[in-house]
Amino acid sequence: MEGKRSILIVGGGTAGWLTAAYLAKFLDVANRSDLSVTLVESPDIGIVGVGEGAFPTIRTTLQFLDIDERDFIRATGATFKQGVRFDDWARTPTAGRHDHYFHPFEAPLYAPDASLVSLWLAENPATRPPFAEAVTIQHRVAEERRGPKRAEEDGFSAPLNYAYHFDAAALARLLADRARALGVTHVEDRLLGATLGDRGMIAGLEFECSGTMTADLFVDCTGLRAELIGKAIDEPFVSVRRFLFTDRALACRVPRGDPDAPLPSYTIAAAHEAGWIWDIGLRDLRGVGSVYSSNHIDEARARDILGDYIGRPELAADARLISFDPGYRRRQWVGNCVAVGMAAGFLEPLESTGIVLIEAAAAMIAELLPPSGPVDASADRFNALMTARFDNIVNFLKLHYCLSRRDEPFWRDNVDPGSIPDALRDMLDRWRCRPPSRFDFTLDVETFAYFNYQYILYGMGFRTDPPGSGMPDTGRAATAFARIRHFGDQAVDDLPSHRELIRQINEG
Ligand SMILES: Cc1cc2nc3c(=O)[nH]c(=O)nc-3n(C[C@H](O)[C@H](O)[C@H](O)COP(=O)(O)OP(=O)(O)OC[C@H]3O[C@@H](n4cnc5c(N)ncnc54)[C@H](O)[C@@H]3O)c2cc1C
């Protein structure tokens, strides 16, 4: 079939359907006879169905796929996410004393005459406002349970940067509908095995009902089972467990009591003795789960911690256990097989990087896949970019843990210099003398920007030497922060409550 290309995606979770829809749209599959995209999934196996938090890049992806924001919000029971509130990450709570910091999606406000970060660093650490409160209005807007926009504003745009919380299974169904409309062929069948041909290329896949299927490019979206890249091709797995210790999650759903109760527009990430708990407010319920290190506590203790947090031990007892090894395949594109989603790798749920990595991989495959000639022409480039992305995310996630002053063994192990990647250690050394800058990063392989690092560093109490002579410029700082407070007050007056915004969108 000279000049024709066929792409076979195995797996119908978020990775499979998002990749299918993205490729179909980008390559205009519905209007081409020289290209086909087929997705095969096994309804018997099902999808992992967790992962209720996204990153702002999801807006660009949904918009690219011509999905209407309101339709998306209604179909997936979505709410808005303006960032993450980290509870008790810096210190072990004692005598009921808790603390928290906020990581907003919005960059620090731009001040034409001074760097807000420098002004903040020069202030007295004992009396200055928390970093996120000082440099952005989003902290205040989120704290006051306001939404990031008004219901009548255009889809996907707002004065403040945002993402969503959503029902993960409903998102996969929505993406499936969109992919089919964009020309993707959908087959329900179970993969039994693969036949390898020359140079380790996949020659064909064997399915329970359809028999043998062939393609030019096979996309492994089979989740943690990694049927192609792992079981068939046996590409080595790079574990990052020496840096990121969590390897288990318990996930459950908590019914929402009062339907009029205030709805947080941020994920709560509450640290516990050997990991952390996510608490996500969806339209109709709460998604709550605990991530922990099995080297530090056992499953029974993890269920107790989750039960105490929810106040409903019976829900924690029934919570679904998911085991994972944090890491990624050494090469994610091998010959005519490319892995996307959890088949390619998974680090941990912190900061919701699962879907971001799927978006990055789908966009790269779409642009790098040659229309003719060897399908693996761009494999090395893809692998270099994806590996760098994974490694950079490891650094960012580790930053959350390695600055903690908590006293439990899990946290002490996390600050052990031997558990900190060299690249992160180097950056921390630099940031003792000056704050993170955009020049610390190469944009194409980054998920997080310099200001994301600033929010975590200064939220955790990291000390950067004050700039200049070290003399605080109290007047300018006070004026700048007062202006931001004033803008924050105005935004709180102007924006609807998050609960009301969700109601208007669902009823509108
Ligand atoms: C505890 C936890 C929390 C997470 N939280 C977040 C988060 O907040 N934000 C975020 O972005 N990401 C998060 N993630 C990651 C996110 O869940 C995944 O990236 C996302 O759901 C994509 O999963 P997937 O499509 O790769 O795999 P799956 O959803 O598992 O899909 C695998 C598909 O492959 C099919 N399949 C498997 N074997 C076969 C076979 N033999 N034959 C045919 N079909 C087969 C299955 O039927 C299914 O359709 C989280 C992950 C975990 C484990």
Side-chain angles (χ1 to χ4, degrees):
M1 290 211 284
E2 191 60 27
K4 280 196 99 165
R5 282 273 193 240
S6 54
I7 300 173
L8 180 58
I9 298 171
V10 187
T14 306
W17 283 116
L18 196 150
T19 307
Y22 198 98
L23 292 179
K25 172 78 195 290
F26 189 90
L27 301 170
D28 195 20
V29 164
N31 297 308
R32 288 175 57 181
S33 56
D34 61 340
L35 184 69
S36 67
V37 177
T38 303
L39 183 145
V40 191
E41 63 164 328
S42 164
D44 299 341
I45 294 174
I47 67 172
V48 67
V50 285
E52 293 153 327
F55 194 67
T57 47
I58 188 91
R59 280 156 49 211
T60 316
T61 301
L62 294 172
Q63 199 164 21
F64 173 72
L65 297 176
D66 297 321
I67 293 173
D68 179 79
E69 184 177 50
R70 285 166 171 267
D71 291 346
F72 159 75
I73 290 174
R74 290 173 192 147
T76 64
T79 56
F80 290 93
K81 173 178 173 186
Q82 304 196 60
V84 183
R85 194 185 81 190
F86 290 93
D87 293 2
D88 296 324
W89 283 66
R91 272 176 294 274
T92 307
T94 42
R97 187 174 158 262
H98 294 271
D99 58 26
H100 69 258
Y101 71 94
F102 191 55
H103 173 200
F105 287 139
E106 187 72 16
L109 274 175
Y110 172 72
D113 51 346
S115 151
L116 285 177
V117 180
S118 300
L119 287 179
W120 184 82
L121 288 174
E123 288 289 279
N124 180 350
T127 55
R128 67 191 170 193
F131 181 70
E133 186 184 316
V135 302
T136 167
I137 65 170
Q138 192 159 40
H139 177 273
R140 178 139 165 68
V141 167
E143 217 172 35
E144 293 295 326
R145 308 282 168 101
R146 293 296 192 273
K149 66 191 291 183
R150 290 184 212 89
E152 62 274 17
E153 261 164 295
D154 286 347
F156 303 115
S157 65
L160 293 171
N161 199 6
Y162 66 88
Y164 314 95
H165 301 121
F166 47 79
D167 177 320
L171 175 66
R173 285 195 296 274
L174 181 77
L175 290 169
D177 288 345
R178 189 65 201 127
R180 283 187 290 256
L182 286 165
V184 174
T185 304
H186 181 198
V187 178
E188 291 190 352
D189 208 343
R190 189 184 182 114
L191 175 76
L192 300 177
T195 313
L196 297 187
D198 294 347
R199 299 190 297 123
M201 296 281 221
I202 292 177
L205 298 183
E206 202 60 37
F207 288 92
E208 204 166 60
C209 305
S210 318
T212 304
M213 292 175 86
T214 59
D216 295 297
L217 183 70
F218 297 89
V219 188
D220 185 353
C221 294
T222 59
L224 292 172
R225 303 166 79 100
E227 294 281 356
L228 305 184
I229 197 88
K231 286 186 196 152
I233 293 176
D234 200 20
E235 178 64 16
F237 184 81
V238 179
S239 172
V240 297
R241 189 99 197 277
R242 64 193 184 283
F243 306 130
L244 299 175
F245 302 156
T246 65
D247 63 343
R248 298 281 188 279
L250 288 167
C252 69
R253 301 230 142 157
V254 180
R256 186 167 283 285
D258 177 2
D260 296 323
L263 184 58
S265 61
Y266 46 81
T267 299
I268 297 168
H272 63 69
E273 66 188 49
W276 61 281
I277 286 172
W278 76 78
D279 186 346
I280 287 178
L282 300 176
R283 184 187 59 205
D284 307 319
L285 47 83
R286 274 163 67 203
V288 185
S290 177
V291 187
Y292 67 95
S293 156
S294 64
N295 275 350
H296 293 86
I297 54 171
D298 63 16
E299 188 185 327
R301 177 71 192 133
R303 288 190 190 272
D304 285 348
I305 293 170
L306 182 61
D308 285 349
Y309 177 88
I310 308 170
R312 304 267 306 264
E314 74 283 6
L315 293 179
D318 286 345
R320 185 153 66 105
L321 177 69
I322 301 162
S323 302
F324 56 90
D325 185 4
Y328 51 83
R329 296 284 155 189
R330 192 185 58 184
R331 291 177 303 165
Q332 292 161 39
W333 190 331
V334 183
N336 57 356
C337 172
V338 57
V340 181
M342 298 214 287
F346 177 64
L347 297 174
E348 70 136 295
L350 190 63
E351 296 283 6
S352 300
T353 59
I355 296 175
V356 188
L357 285 159
I358 296 169
E359 293 172 304
M364 264 187 256
I365 296 168
E367 288 204 27
L368 297 179
L369 181 68
S372 59
V375 281
D376 58 345
S378 303
D380 289 349
R381 181 72 187 141
F382 179 90
N383 290 329
L385 292 173
M386 286 306 292
T387 302
R389 241 175 211 274
F390 268 100
D391 286 341
N392 291 337
I393 293 176
V394 170
N395 290 333
F396 185 62
L397 299 188
K398 181 67 183 185
L399 182 68
H400 294 64
Y401 292 103
C402 72
L403 301 175
S404 180
R405 298 179 292 290
R406 288 188 68 117
D407 48 25
E408 301 94 332
F410 170 84
W411 296 92
R412 296 331 305 150
D413 290 347
N414 258 299
V415 301
D416 178 338
S419 78
I420 303 176
D422 292 346
L424 177 59
R425 253 207 320 264
D426 290 349
M427 287 193 285
L428 287 170
D429 284 344
R430 295 204 287 275
W431 296 336
R432 289 197 172 87
C433 324
R434 57 141 180 96
S437 145
R438 68 194 166 104
F439 297 110
D440 284 313
F441 305 99
T442 308
L443 284 186
D444 268 350
V445 287
E446 290 294 344
T447 302
F448 298 96
Y450 66 95
F451 56 84
N452 299 114
Y453 280 80
Q454 291 175 349
Y455 285 125
I456 306 305
L457 279 176
Y458 302 131
M460 289 295 289
F462 183 83
R463 291 291 173 89
T464 297
D465 291 342
S469 65
M471 290 297 290
D473 189 352
T474 313
R476 277 168 80 204
T479 308
F481 299 150
R483 260 182 65 223
I484 291 170
R485 255 197 317 279
H486 175 65
F487 291 151
D489 291 342
Q490 279 181 334
V492 168
D493 284 346
D494 289 350
L495 289 164
S497 80
H498 185 214
R499 170 69 71 194
E500 182 55 26
L501 176 61
I502 292 299
R503 196 189 335 261
Q504 285 173 9
I505 291 174
N506 279 282
E507 289 173 359

